[in-house]
Amino acid sequence: MRICVLTIAVLTWGVGGMGNSAALAQGTARQGVISGRVTDQSTGLPVPFSAVVVTGTNLGATTNDSGAYTIRSVPAGTHQLRANRVGYGPAVRTVAVVGGETVTADFVISHVPFVLEEVVTTATGEQRTRELGNTVAKVDAAKIVEAAPISNMQDLLNSRVSGVTLIQQNGTVGAGSRVRIRGLSSASLSNDPLVYVDGIKVETGSPTLDGTVYIGGGHPSFLNDISPDEIEDIEIVKGPSASTLYGTQAANGVIRITTKRARPGRAQWSLFDEEGINRDVTAYPGQYYSQGTDRVTGATRQCLPWQQVQNQCTISQLFSRNLFRDAGSSPLATGSRASRGLQINGGSEQVRYFISGSIDHENGTLRMPQMEQDFLKTERGVSILPEEQLHPNELQRVNLRSNVGALLSNNVDVSISAGLVNSDNRLPQTGDNTQGILGAALFGTANPAKASNPWGFARPAEGFSDVIYRRDSRFTNSLQTNWRPLSFISVRGVVGLDYLQYQDEASNAAGQGCAICGLNRQGLRTINKFTSAKYTADVGATVTRQLTRRIESKTSIGGQFIRDRLDGTLNTANVFPPGITRIDAGAIKTSGERTTESNTLGQYVEQQFGLDQRLFITGALRYDQNSAFGKKNRSAQYPKISGSYVVFEQGRGFARVLDELRLRSAYGVSGQQPGPTDALRYLSPITSSVLGGDVAAVTLAGLGNESLKPERSQEFEGGFDAGFFHSRANLQLTYYNKRTTDALISRVLPGSLGATVSRIENIGVVSNKGLEASLNSRVVDKQRVALDVNLELSRNANKLVDLGGLPPITGFGYQNRAGYPLFGLWWPQMQSYNDANNNGIIEPSEVKVSDSPLFGGPSVPTRTLSISPTLTLFKRITVSGLLDRRAGFANLNANEWFQCVPTQNCRAINDPKAPLIDQARAIAGGNGIGAYLEDASFWKLREMSASYSIPERYIARVGAHTAVLRLTARNLGTWSKFGSWDPEIATQGNDAAVYNFVQLAPPRIWTLRLNLGF
């Protein structure tokens, strides 16, 4: 109830200064209207979508297609107006409003390459960046999609913003990526950011595919359900210093996505058609086999060089082949992609609409090898194989959206956003998997005696026969309203639901599939259905008052309710009769249910004071109650304070070089809730055997923790924004220091307690410190030539400070150890080698391996750099690119290790002419897998694009007024010292157990797209 009292007090204070009711009525009667036009200084043409606001109030308007705007209900008196538009410098003018009359205020604004001041959306509503003490990164999605090869949300976010890192899983069509903002903060919870679409929280996770739907690692991300073509812009709140008012769950940052808004004016139609191909150009390694004769038995066997020098055998011949390159055995082919869409935008000032629809279809680069097709046709006695087995990787998606806005009165507007997605994603068997398609080839053999079946593990025919789908259907809808009862009061409300149904399916007919995978060969059918529902209700009010001629006050209060619920049913059947795969036909059936729910109720208050529109001081507090907290800690408070000071602007700088400068700093706290059942003591059902019979029983599944609290992240950030050379360049520099306390750690319990193995406790401390820089520059600015260059740089230092006295938490190749990065890589490593007898062969006695695991490096990049140049010629031709650098992290080259050690088919272990270092690692890998722990730093040329705006005289005959033809390419090159094909791949797709193992590399993609506007 504490926050309720505070809220009432703030409301009383905010309204109490308005004067008595008579004065209020008189002020309401003395209101006028401001109208005018915004035009371009150089061309005189109207500038649509410009924001014109009355400084010191909540009043404003957006210009229409003719550049006109109207602001109603403006109190009589003198007011300052401010006009802003992306790509233009701001303009300010003063007007005198007379009650009952209309005053005209026109603006002429100048085009500039870059601007420092923008309008962004915060938890309290829209604010100018000059008022914020923290950074909010803004991605102009609509502009990027027009110019770059963007097919999903990951492409749109990747390498666009400093401090935001996307870590890919593999190159499978539909595969997801992890999004990490300012490092890792939690050892037990998700490190994913919170995502909002049009004001409501949405599901963007990447649920794993386990059990009978396991595909070897990697999984699709629901973030990619959102079509980039529907997005207007993306705003990224990077840490607790900025995300305080988003409350619990916002400690990892917040991504706010705004879909395209309805604009008044005549109906505008936009169509696009995109066609492309995918090609895997990776140089996958071949297979080697050193054949020889045993010196004791005389039998033919594999004889390795070091075995020969130790007189165990005699080498007769070295065989090699590459199952990826041989026409009959290669599982690789050229994939295809196609995307088509239509958008309509228009309406009147009273009712506006945006409608869009798109269809995407993409086939991956895997295809059943010809020799495996022949094998299956003979085995099954058929002449045609199912398409879903021939091509196991496909994505089909339909996106529909309708956004409608209505002006119900002069001071009330409503907007409704509704999006529908249907997606079918067929996923192949790859990765850490006995029936993995790539592993079958990579770990095959060059032994000529096995030429007819050279594969490792299950042969590809079996992996291709196991069909896996993830299907999802999603409806995301929200209702937003704004009410301005008085010029200095605005009330906003948002309600919405993100409703997602997804289904993981596995299907494998009897007599098909993996012969070494348990019951798989006898038939398998799995249908796991899940329903995710995220409800959001958010309401807030802001009172803006001009306390004196120089001092402005802005008071905001609000409340938010969020409910997350997931229901699932899991059903699997094995052992089917021939030709039937209906789940009820299986002889062995298993089923289960899963339900989780969490609720958050939050309230906040924020107070801001502004001086001369240059100095802004803000303080805020959020109070949260959450169902996942323990009984003894049912609530959490998150404070915030920030400051922003505009030192100078609009060319009033020094030496005609520095013309804008803003200093800023912020401190804030946010949280991360425990798992929905972590605080609860609960039982799980089991089947127990009593007197030879099965009976229903229960067992203790969770010990619970009544004192459980959210992880608490507090962050300080400070920096500056500067503009140079008359807005031809701007620089944003930010330092941050984030410290997470009460980190949730799984404490192992002694068995003598007779309870669960472990329980979650708040005992850890994690630190993240870093530096971020963003530089935008117009290097060349001529009448016919313009060259822009954007640089995004970041550096992060992550450390687990304290584990509450617990020993290091260990897993497959990683440790969470105090003093080192979270999920750092730890393996026994090769310490030295020496060809002591100078025979050119490394022997086991000539290699030294550490006795225990050693730290090998962070598992996520700690240094990033992206370079994005854009060249414009004759205002019609645009060429752009994206070069990306990631450094300061390691990855385990498990591909080469598995070839050289368990399989022994790599060159290093078979060829006596192999470099000594390669031989040494192959020998050391038997006891020290860390011999293949490598620096994963890389450069990638992620994108290249060239577009041409076709002159109107050529397209007028088809009724179009704009036409743009664009040729793009993605994944054009990777440069790295990493020994395997792609240092970025993380097989399992999570923060723990990072290793690079037989996953597809991202394919090279070429697309041709035509955009038409009517």
Side-chain angles (χ1 to χ4, degrees):
M1 294 299 295
R2 286 171 290 177
I3 193 69
C4 296
V5 174
L6 181 60
T7 300
I8 295 170
V10 171
L11 273 175
T12 303
W13 179 84
V15 176
M18 300 175 194
N20 57 38
S21 58
L24 183 59
Q26 183 181 6
T28 303
R30 297 184 59 200
Q31 292 179 344
V33 176
I34 304 174
S35 64
R37 297 181 73 233
V38 179
T39 55
D40 187 302
Q41 184 184 45
S42 60
T43 66
L45 296 175
V47 182
F49 313 138
S50 300
V52 182
V53 297
V54 182
T55 302
T57 74
N58 295 306
L59 301 175
T62 301
T63 59
N64 59 21
D65 287 343
S66 61
Y69 73 93
T70 301
I71 305 174
R72 296 178 173 83
S73 303
V74 183
T78 301
H79 297 278
Q80 184 186 77
L81 300 181
R82 193 176 187 90
N84 289 280
R85 172 71 163 91
V86 176
Y88 289 83
V92 178
R93 64 172 299 177
T94 300
V95 297
V97 177
V98 178
E101 297 184 9
T102 298
V103 60
T104 300
D106 294 332
F107 289 89
V108 178
I109 56 179
S110 302
H111 181 78
V112 295
F114 306 104
V115 294
L116 287 177
E117 180 175 323
E118 295 183 292
V119 176
V120 296
T121 303
T122 69
T124 62
E126 290 188 343
Q127 284 187 275
R128 293 173 296 163
T129 51
R130 66 162 50 211
E131 302 174 15
L132 305 178
N134 54 267
T135 59
V136 176
K138 195 163 186 175
V139 179
D140 191 343
K143 182 178 179 181
I144 293 173
V145 170
E146 286 179 1
I150 305 299
S151 61
N152 54 51
M153 276 294 297
Q154 293 169 182
D155 294 344
L156 186 56
L157 288 173
N158 203 4
S159 306
R160 311 288 177 188
V161 176
S162 62
V164 180
T165 304
L166 271 74
I167 305 170
Q168 69 180 25
Q169 300 169 11
N170 55 63
T172 300
V173 169
S177 294
R178 289 175 288 154
V179 181
R180 297 294 174 260
I181 301 178
R182 291 183 174 175
L184 306 175
S185 297
S186 181
S188 303
L189 303 176
S190 169
N191 284 290
D192 292 338
L194 198 60
V195 179
Y196 282 77
V197 174
D198 292 336
I200 66 169
K201 183 183 176 185
V202 299
E203 176 60 63
T204 56
S206 302
T208 58
L209 294 106
D210 294 323
T212 53
V213 292
Y214 181 65
I215 57 172
H219 27 84
S221 169
F222 291 127
L223 180 63
N224 286 331
D225 278 348
I226 306 167
S227 171
D229 289 288
E230 298 176 352
I231 299 173
E232 185 73 30
D233 60 54
I234 300 172
E235 295 167 359
I236 301 176
V237 178
K238 295 183 181 180
S241 63
S243 65
T244 297
L245 296 189
Y246 292 94
T248 304
Q249 303 182 31
N252 298 320
V254 180
I255 298 176
R256 293 192 66 105
I257 298 171
T258 302
T259 58
K260 292 181 178 178
R261 302 290 86 193
R263 308 287 189 189
R266 66 177 183 83
Q268 298 187 29
W269 295 64
S270 176
L271 297 89
F272 69 87
D273 186 0
E274 180 176 294
E275 307 292 333
I277 59 172
N278 310 335
R279 294 190 61 195
D280 191 335
V281 297
T282 304
Y284 293 102
Q287 297 74 46
Y288 291 79
Y289 181 77
S290 178
Q291 183 171 284
T293 304
D294 191 284
R295 290 194 175 180
V296 176
T297 65
T300 300
R301 51 165 284 189
Q302 184 176 17
C303 181
L304 305 179
W306 71 266
Q307 294 172 336
Q308 177 175 258
V309 300
Q310 292 189 356
N311 295 318
Q312 297 180 23
C313 56
T314 301
I315 295 174
S316 58
Q317 188 172 349
L318 177 65
F319 294 93
S320 67
R321 70 177 301 181
N322 192 313
L323 293 169
F324 289 99
R325 296 179 183 173
D326 295 348
S329 62
S330 176
L332 304 176
T334 299
S336 64
R337 58 193 296 123
S339 181
R340 300 172 182 88
L342 168 67
Q343 297 182 353
I344 311 171
N345 196 344
S348 65
E349 293 284 351
Q350 282 67 42
V351 180
R352 308 168 303 280
Y353 56 86
F354 169 80
I355 302 171
S356 73
S358 62
I359 300 175
D360 302 305
H361 185 202
E362 186 172 359
N363 274 307
T365 58
L366 287 174
R367 179 205 60 187
M368 187 183 292
Q370 187 59 51
M371 66 182 295
E372 295 301 276
Q373 294 184 40
D374 296 340
F375 168 78
L376 284 183
K377 289 176 181 178
T378 301
E379 181 186 62
R380 299 177 186 176
V382 298
S383 58
I384 300 176
L385 298 174
E387 174 65 20
E388 59 186 8
Q389 295 182 3
L390 293 173
H391 297 95
N393 190 199
E394 182 183 33
L395 173 65
Q396 298 185 71
R397 178 178 292 134
V398 176
N399 287 79
L400 300 174
R401 173 161 295 279
S402 174
N403 294 343
V404 179
L407 185 64
L408 302 184
S409 67
N410 290 339
N411 61 352
V412 179
D413 63 79
V414 174
S415 60
I416 301 173
S417 299
L420 178 65
V421 182
N422 276 289
S423 174
D424 280 356
N425 195 182
R426 188 162 69 242
L427 298 162
Q429 299 289 341
T430 60
D432 198 350
N433 192 346
T434 53
Q435 54 180 335
I437 294 167
L438 268 67
L442 187 65
F443 308 133
T445 181
N447 185 351
K450 298 182 178 180
S452 62
N453 186 10
W455 312 104
F457 301 120
R459 63 186 303 160
E462 299 175 0
F464 276 93
S465 298
D466 196 352
V467 180
I468 305 291
Y469 274 96
R470 169 162 286 175
R471 310 179 193 270
D472 75 75
S473 180
R474 182 174 197 164
F475 181 48
T476 305
N477 60 99
S478 64
L479 170 67
Q480 302 181 59
T481 182
N482 293 285
W483 175 42
R484 294 167 296 279
L486 298 170
S487 63
F488 46 84
I489 299 178
S490 65
V491 181
R492 59 169 187 83
V494 181
V495 294
L497 168 64
D498 179 44
Y499 187 78
L500 168 68
Q501 289 185 322
Y502 68 96
Q503 185 167 301
D504 296 335
E505 298 182 19
S507 181
N508 192 76
Q512 300 179 17
C514 179
I516 59 174
C517 304
L519 297 175
N520 187 289
R521 188 77 174 177
Q522 299 181 56
L524 165 71
R525 179 66 169 147
T526 294
I527 304 175
N528 296 335
K529 291 185 176 181
F530 300 90
T531 299
S532 167
K534 295 187 182 296
Y535 302 84
T536 301
D538 195 339
V539 63
T542 298
V543 178
T544 304
R545 301 190 302 162
Q546 198 73 37
L547 301 181
T548 71
R549 185 176 59 85
R550 301 180 61 192
I551 300 176
E552 174 188 325
S553 167
K554 184 183 292 185
T555 306
S556 299
I557 61 171
Q560 184 186 64
F561 174 75
I562 292 178
R563 169 173 289 174
D564 297 331
R565 183 178 175 91
L566 177 67
D567 297 284
T569 59
L570 299 88
N571 303 279
T572 295
N574 294 96
V575 186
F576 285 81
I580 301 177
T581 56
R582 281 178 40 183
I583 196 166
D584 58 337
I588 302 175
K589 303 182 182 70
T590 58
S591 63
E593 289 187 73
R594 182 183 302 168
T595 299
T596 60
E597 181 177 327
S598 65
N599 299 287
T600 302
L601 177 62
Q603 301 168 77
Y604 68 81
V605 57
E606 180 180 83
Q607 176 61 48
Q608 181 183 96
F609 292 103
L611 176 65
D612 294 333
Q613 288 292 306
R614 293 177 62 184
L615 175 63
F616 300 90
I617 302 296
T618 305
L621 176 67
R622 171 147 174 160
Y623 175 85
D624 270 8
Q625 295 170 292
N626 185 281
S627 61
F629 298 171
K631 289 183 178 179
K632 296 181 179 179
N633 292 288
R634 279 301 189 190
S635 63
Q637 298 83 36
Y638 305 116
K640 167 189 173 180
I641 186 168
S642 69
S644 171
Y645 178 51
V646 180
V647 181
F648 49 81
E649 60 181 332
Q650 296 182 346
R652 297 171 185 169
F654 299 103
R656 299 183 180 179
V657 174
L658 181 62
D659 44 60
E660 293 182 81
L661 179 63
R662 180 170 75 98
L663 307 179
R664 49 181 167 74
S665 66
Y667 168 83
V669 182
S670 188
Q672 184 80 329
Q673 73 167 55
T677 60
D678 288 345
L680 302 178
R681 178 174 298 180
Y682 63 96
L683 306 174
S684 286
I686 60 171
T687 301
S688 181
S689 178
V690 177
L691 300 177
D694 291 340
V695 297
V698 295
T699 186
L700 182 64
L703 186 60
N705 183 351
E706 293 185 348
S707 300
L708 205 61
K709 299 179 288 187
E711 294 188 339
R712 188 176 179 86
S713 294
Q714 53 187 341
E715 181 184 61
F716 166 81
E717 75 166 59
F720 67 84
D721 304 340
F724 303 88
F725 306 110
H726 303 291
S727 299
R728 286 186 58 174
N730 65 38
L731 171 66
Q732 295 181 333
L733 186 66
T734 304
Y735 166 80
Y736 64 88
N737 186 339
K738 178 180 176 183
R739 187 177 179 87
T740 301
T741 57
D742 293 328
L744 294 165
I745 303 295
S746 180
R747 180 192 289 272
V748 177
L749 301 175
S752 58
L753 289 179
T756 56
V757 175
S758 63
R759 79 169 186 174
I760 299 293
E761 299 182 5
N762 296 101
I763 55 177
V765 179
V766 180
S767 169
N768 280 281
K769 300 178 182 179
L771 194 67
E772 299 166 349
S774 177
L775 175 64
N776 298 288
S777 61
R778 174 66 57 87
V779 179
V780 178
D781 192 8
K782 301 295 184 181
Q783 181 70 22
R784 297 186 177 183
V785 180
L787 175 62
D788 295 338
V789 177
N790 170 250
L791 301 178
E792 300 286 340
L793 304 93
S794 70
R795 187 182 186 95
N796 173 267
N798 172 267
K799 183 169 68 174
L800 176 58
V801 178
D802 189 10
L803 261 177
L806 295 183
I809 299 172
T810 62
F812 182 73
Y814 75 90
Q815 291 189 14
N816 285 328
R817 178 190 288 264
Y820 291 88
L822 276 178
F823 301 106
L825 300 183
W826 293 74
W827 289 103
Q829 298 182 31
M830 182 177 72
Q831 294 180 302
S832 65
Y833 70 94
N834 180 32
D835 184 14
N837 53 19
N838 293 315
N839 62 358
I841 303 297
I842 298 295
E843 303 173 46
S845 61
E846 297 174 331
V847 174
K848 182 179 179 181
V849 176
S850 64
D851 296 328
S852 59
L854 301 177
F855 177 62
S859 59
V860 297
T862 59
R863 302 189 301 276
T864 67
L865 165 66
S866 67
I867 306 172
S868 308
T870 301
L871 175 66
T872 303
L873 301 172
F874 310 108
K875 298 183 180 181
R876 290 197 178 277
I877 300 173
T878 302
V879 181
S880 62
L882 177 58
L883 180 65
D884 190 18
R885 167 70 170 168
R886 307 265 177 98
F889 73 113
N891 203 342
L892 180 68
N893 181 1
N895 297 314
E896 192 172 350
W897 173 81
F898 209 93
Q899 272 198 287
C900 292
V901 181
T903 309
Q904 294 190 333
N905 74 343
C906 72
R907 182 191 173 212
I909 200 72
N910 285 278
D911 187 354
K913 297 180 181 179
L916 293 181
I917 179 62
D918 293 345
Q919 294 184 44
R921 294 203 307 165
I923 296 294
N927 296 316
I929 190 174
Y932 291 91
L933 193 58
E934 301 175 11
D935 178 9
S937 301
F938 64 84
W939 286 92
K940 278 196 176 185
L941 182 55
R942 293 196 185 274
E943 299 172 3
M944 285 294 294
S945 175
S947 62
Y948 175 63
S949 181
I950 302 173
E952 289 188 24
R953 62 179 180 273
Y954 297 123
I955 58 176
R957 64 187 61 184
V958 297
H961 62 81
T962 61
V964 178
L965 189 64
R966 190 188 73 197
L967 176 65
T968 62
R970 175 170 285 277
N971 302 320
L972 291 171
T974 300
W975 299 270
S976 175
K977 294 181 181 179
F978 190 72
S980 195
W981 50 84
D982 193 312
E984 201 174 6
I985 289 175
T987 289
Q988 294 301 332
N990 50 38
D991 293 325
V994 173
Y995 60 102
N996 189 312
F997 192 53
V998 283
Q999 292 282 16
L1000 280 170
R1004 183 168 297 169
I1005 302 170
W1006 292 89
T1007 61
L1008 183 64
R1009 175 168 172 146
L1010 176 63
N1011 294 307
L1012 291 174
F1014 297 89

